[in-house]
Amino acid sequence: MPGDRAREDDRTAPPLVQLSGVTKVYGGGEAAVVALAGIDLRIDDGEFVAIMGPSGSGKSTCMNVLGCLDTPTSGSYRFRGVEVTSLSRRQRALLRRYYLGFVFQGYNLLNRTTALENVEVPLIYRGLPRAERHRVASEALAAVGLADRADHTPAELSGGQQQRVAIARAIVTEPALLLADEPTGNLDSKLSREIMELIVQLNATRGITIAMVTHDPDMAAYARRTVRFHDGRVIADERTTPAGAAVG
Ligand SMILES: Nc1ncnc2c1ncn2[C@@H]1O[C@H](COP(=O)(O)OP(=O)(O)OP(=O)(O)O)[C@@H](O)[C@H]1O
Ligand SMILES: [Mg+2]
């Protein structure tokens, strides 16, 4: 029966992300900083997880580990069952390129290039031919509501529009996991809500799993699960009802 089949898959398929006993220590000796003090965290396909916690509690460090931008000092990170800590630098770069998308507070757009060209960058790395690149990048820009701004440079766009370009660039490769570190940190509350609604929509319609760091409970309220960090540990992990969802 289909239901049994789904449960069977649940039991046998490895989770998208599984951190087990992950630590990260920066520096050594007296100056050593324990950024992650033993993190266990599982994220399944399709989830939308908000990560909260005080400044310095290890949220960005955890995102960098999840994004293969940094390696744990000890512990295990499995991505779809593959032990990431055993991969070479080159293999981790490929994992980033084919499975992960990133959105940061500072947008990180190329200033002298158009919105469309910014969104094309990850496709260049993937070796897509020019015409195909144009088509796929235009679709991603349309998906974030910026079809009519394709030829604008970042300086010619508002903060919210720049962040939407950054999101288009992050999703143009259809990543399995989108990592967003304070994606609305520089935006006013109206633009922040627009960006959150966009992220919710990408999660719901494209099945992109999302891990998002935020300080703002109003932004975390869009997620269906909130993980709280304190001193490099997970101190709470709770399911939440997304804002605006019908309560039944
Ligand atoms: N590259 C680094 N070298 C040394 N220490 C670092 C480095 N990156 C982070 N840390 C330290 O690790 C701890 C966790 O930092 P992290 O950036 O993960 O915190 P955070 O929860 O993201 O904080 P915030 O909310 O301020 O962004 C902090 O004490 C920080 O000073
Ligand atoms: Mg941070």
Side-chain angles (χ1 to χ4, degrees):
M1 287 190 327
D4 290 342
R5 174 66 176 276
R7 274 197 296 282
E8 180 81 4
D9 287 347
D10 270 357
R11 272 206 310 274
T12 54
L16 181 63
V17 159
Q18 176 82 62
L19 299 179
S20 307
V22 165
T23 73
K24 179 70 189 181
V25 181
Y26 288 110
E30 301 250 310
V33 174
V34 180
L36 299 177
I39 300 281
D40 299 315
L41 182 65
R42 169 184 171 145
I43 301 175
D44 286 309
D45 278 291
E47 282 201 280
F48 179 1
V49 184
I51 296 175
M52 301 192 78
S55 181
S57 60
K59 307 181 297 294
S60 293
T61 305
C62 187
M63 294 294 269
N64 289 341
V65 167
L66 291 175
C68 301
L69 299 166
D70 209 345
T71 49
T73 303
S74 65
S76 155
Y77 171 17
R78 267 168 290 150
F79 187 92
R80 293 236 163 102
V82 173
E83 184 56 57
V84 174
T85 55
S86 309
L87 299 179
S88 67
R89 186 176 286 265
R90 163 96 186 134
Q91 287 170 320
R92 286 201 309 271
L94 288 172
L95 195 155
R96 274 202 302 277
R97 190 178 301 168
Y98 285 94
Y99 293 96
L100 304 176
F102 298 90
V103 179
F104 299 108
Q105 184 176 354
Y107 318 139
N108 298 325
L109 299 176
L110 303 172
N111 284 322
R112 291 172 191 282
T113 45
T114 66
L116 185 67
E117 287 161 347
N118 266 283
V119 177
E120 283 184 39
V121 168
L123 302 174
I124 296 174
Y125 285 116
R126 280 201 183 177
L128 250 68
R130 191 184 177 83
E132 175 93 6
R133 245 167 34 217
H134 260 67
R135 186 180 63 72
V136 177
S138 300
E139 274 172 20
L141 268 184
V144 299
L146 285 179
D148 57 345
R149 294 289 192 278
D151 296 330
H152 289 230
T153 63
E156 296 165 342
L157 297 168
S158 73
Q161 289 170 337
Q162 289 178 50
Q163 189 60 305
R164 281 192 274 160
V165 173
I167 291 173
R169 182 184 55 186
I171 60 151
V172 73
T173 52
E174 300 268 337
L177 177 63
L178 179 67
L179 297 163
D181 198 343
E182 303 200 47
T184 61
N186 284 335
L187 303 176
D188 68 30
S189 56
K190 178 170 177 287
L191 286 176
S192 295
R193 282 197 301 276
E194 283 176 27
I195 294 296
M196 290 315 304
E197 274 153 25
L198 175 60
I199 290 175
V200 166
Q201 188 202 330
L202 293 171
N203 174 246
T205 62
R206 298 194 181 209
I208 297 174
T209 305
I210 294 167
M212 176 188 76
V213 172
T214 181
H215 280 115
D216 185 342
D218 289 345
M219 301 303 121
Y222 285 90
R224 278 171 287 156
R225 176 180 169 198
T226 299
V227 173
R228 282 174 209 282
F229 277 56
H230 193 89
D231 287 346
R233 297 180 195 280
V234 172
I235 56 159
D237 186 343
E238 55 213 17
R239 304 275 152 191
T240 46
T241 308
V247 181

